[in-house]
Amino acid sequence: MNSVQNLKAAISKECDTVPLLQVTSMCKAKTNKRRRLGPKPVVQLAHGVEGTLLNEAPGNVIITNPHDAAAVYMSGCYGKGSMSKGAPTGLLDQSEHLILSPCEAMYLVEVGALILIQPELKQVCRSDLYKLWMNHDAGFCEKFIIYKHFRDKKYTVRSGIKYGGDFMLYTGDPNTSHAAYVVKVMTTAQEPLWTDVNALRRVSESVAKESVLSYVSFSHANDRNNPDCVDSAIVSHVLLKRWIPERDREIASQKLEKMKE
């Protein structure tokens, strides 16, 4: 068994008797030949996990309790190891902690799975968290709305910074599958240049991923200053693809031939 499998085994033993929040894992279950592979539901994310809010930008959150950290990660691949780039494999021997990004932490707070405290052991309320992260990143509002949108759609959402985007979307377990999409959030605070968008598309194509531009709109300009704007925001997406006239003409010709038949 590898380190990720050891982590799964250790957590599953301890999570059987604890009141937990059901979260759908995108890991594909091993089934017999008669059954199709599909999302495997797991019940591993406990209510009220405590995380400490780090004061320095960008306001990340750290979970030091190894059981809580492992349960959060295994219930949807939230966060990363403090000493690694991906799965926090050092949780078993307590050689590292779990680090959550602001979007991940805010999402877990929204669903009641996470309680955030400051280093002086003072609990932080949802509205204060929102204002804090907006001060760190003027585009946090749109980024969180898009993050929540895809999480609610059952995608596993990870950072897309290494490909020039904001998020990567996985339809399976990030430890065993590749991302299908790279998402760039088009914020009102920092509208990217189209040269940057084209660069994103080219990078995404080179690693067999599709590029998505995600937009968020509000009924009033001041709505984004209130955390309740998440419920009333309108989300839209644009899928970027390279248009090759010759290929498009061939596809159109084939469709016409089929219609004549």
Side-chain angles (χ1 to χ4, degrees):
M1 295 176 68
N2 58 32
S3 54
V4 175
Q5 291 173 326
N6 288 334
L7 187 60
K8 288 182 179 180
I11 294 307
S12 61
K13 290 180 181 179
E14 297 187 44
C15 290
D16 290 337
T17 59
V18 182
L20 302 171
L21 172 69
Q22 183 169 352
V23 176
T24 300
S25 171
M26 301 309 296
C27 302
K28 289 188 175 180
K30 291 183 178 179
T31 59
N32 56 39
K33 294 182 180 179
R34 295 182 181 179
R35 297 178 60 189
R36 293 183 178 181
L37 295 178
K40 178 184 179 182
V42 292
V43 183
Q44 291 180 331
L45 184 56
H47 285 282
V49 170
E50 284 194 0
T52 303
L53 180 65
L54 302 179
N55 290 326
E56 62 270 15
N60 288 336
V61 171
I62 185 170
I63 299 177
T64 56
N65 181 291
H67 173 266
D68 288 346
V72 168
Y73 180 81
M74 296 310 303
S75 295
C77 294
Y78 296 96
K80 63 178 288 297
S82 57
M83 303 296 291
S84 59
K85 295 181 179 180
T89 54
L91 292 178
L92 291 177
D93 57 9
Q94 300 186 29
S95 61
E96 64 177 340
H97 307 303
L98 185 69
I99 303 293
L100 299 173
S101 71
C103 285
E104 291 172 322
M106 190 71 181
Y107 183 79
L108 293 173
V109 169
E110 289 272 335
V111 299
L114 183 66
I115 297 174
L116 290 187
I117 58 174
Q118 291 179 322
E120 57 271 20
L121 301 180
K122 179 182 177 182
Q123 184 174 339
V124 189
C125 67
R126 174 174 172 265
S127 59
D128 289 341
L129 285 172
Y130 184 83
K131 292 177 183 177
L132 173 67
W133 284 324
M134 282 290 286
N135 290 333
H136 283 319
D137 180 3
F140 172 75
C141 173
E142 288 88 349
K143 291 176 183 176
F144 173 67
I145 289 172
I146 296 300
Y147 178 91
K148 182 179 185 300
H149 172 79
F150 284 119
R151 273 289 183 181
D152 291 345
K153 297 292 185 184
K154 306 305 180 184
Y155 283 97
T156 300
V157 187
R158 306 291 291 169
S159 172
I161 190 171
K162 67 179 178 181
Y163 296 126
D166 293 300
F167 304 118
M168 289 192 297
L169 304 182
Y170 293 81
T171 56
D173 186 344
N175 297 303
T176 58
S177 63
H178 294 283
Y181 304 97
V182 179
V183 177
K184 182 68 177 177
V185 180
M186 310 294 277
T187 68
T188 56
Q190 188 177 7
E191 187 80 10
L193 299 173
W194 278 103
T195 51
D196 297 333
V197 173
N198 188 47
L200 170 68
R201 181 193 61 79
R202 295 190 63 124
V203 170
S204 300
E205 282 187 354
S206 68
V207 290
K209 306 183 194 315
E210 294 189 291
S211 306
V212 177
L213 303 182
S214 293
Y215 295 82
V216 179
S217 59
F218 305 95
S219 56
H220 301 285
N222 293 331
D223 282 355
R224 64 191 305 274
N225 298 321
N226 189 323
D228 293 332
C229 69
V230 175
D231 299 324
S232 59
I234 301 172
V235 175
S236 58
H237 310 286
V238 175
L239 181 66
L240 296 180
K241 284 189 176 182
R242 184 183 179 188
W243 182 55
I244 303 176
E246 294 82 0
R247 183 187 302 171
D248 186 69
R249 186 174 61 247
E250 290 176 3
I251 294 174
S253 299
Q254 291 174 1
K255 289 183 179 179
L256 287 174
E257 291 295 329
K258 289 183 179 180
M259 291 175 63
K260 291 178 181 179
E261 295 175 358

